[in-house]
Amino acid sequence: DRVHIGSELSRFLNDVELVHGISKAEIAAHGVYFSHETCTHASPESSCAGNEIAALRSAFGDEHLSKLLILNTKAYTGHPMGVSFEDVTAVEVLMSQRVPPVPNYRERD
């Protein structure tokens, strides 16, 4: 459930800060979150998008979350192939310091 997901993400981010000295604010300002969502409507009741956003809001808070870049590659790769391509794309983003375009992106939400 989304409360559990949010608490686990918060615990992970707190550990990152404790062990590595990287705060949530720094991660939000300079990081990229690769969403596992399949680009379906973000229904607050049941969708993966709703659960992901709720967990991110819980862990980062609205102020930091508004600065976090959220990407998804599945519009290009489809769901069956998406997982392995997400990993490869994440490594490429780290190496090149550039992010891929987001299909159909028109308005920041």
Side-chain angles (χ1 to χ4, degrees), residues 67-99:
K67 297 173 184 154
L68 181 65
L69 179 60
I70 301 173
L71 293 180
N72 187 297
T73 60
K74 290 190 181 70
Y76 290 114
T77 63
H79 193 276
M81 297 172 18
V83 175
S84 62
F85 281 114
E86 287 171 354
D87 296 339
V88 171
T89 305
V91 170
E92 185 61 32
V93 165
L94 288 171
M95 291 175 56
S96 69
Q97 297 294 294
R98 295 183 336 198
V99 296

Side-chain angles (χ1 to χ4, degrees), residues 3-87:
V3 173
H4 175 72
I5 296 167
S7 67
E8 287 299 307
L9 180 56
S10 290
R11 185 177 61 80
F12 172 75
L13 292 170
N14 290 335
D15 287 350
V16 167
E17 185 166 13
L18 182 67
V19 173
H20 302 287
I22 304 169
S23 70
K24 292 176 189 180
E26 291 174 289
I27 292 170
H30 304 288
V32 177
Y33 175 80
F34 276 81
S35 169
H36 187 70
E37 167 56 31
T38 57
C39 296
T40 57
H41 179 67
S43 163
E45 292 83 30
S46 62
S47 75
C48 290
N51 287 327
E52 279 188 290
I53 291 299
L56 289 167
R57 277 195 181 116
S58 172
F60 282 98
D62 286 333
E63 180 184 346
H64 295 314
L65 184 57
S66 69
K67 297 173 184 154
L68 181 65
L69 179 60
I70 301 173
L71 293 180
N72 187 297
T73 60
K74 290 190 181 70
Y76 290 114
T77 63
H79 193 276
M81 297 172 18
V83 175
S84 62
F85 281 114
E86 287 171 354
D87 296 339

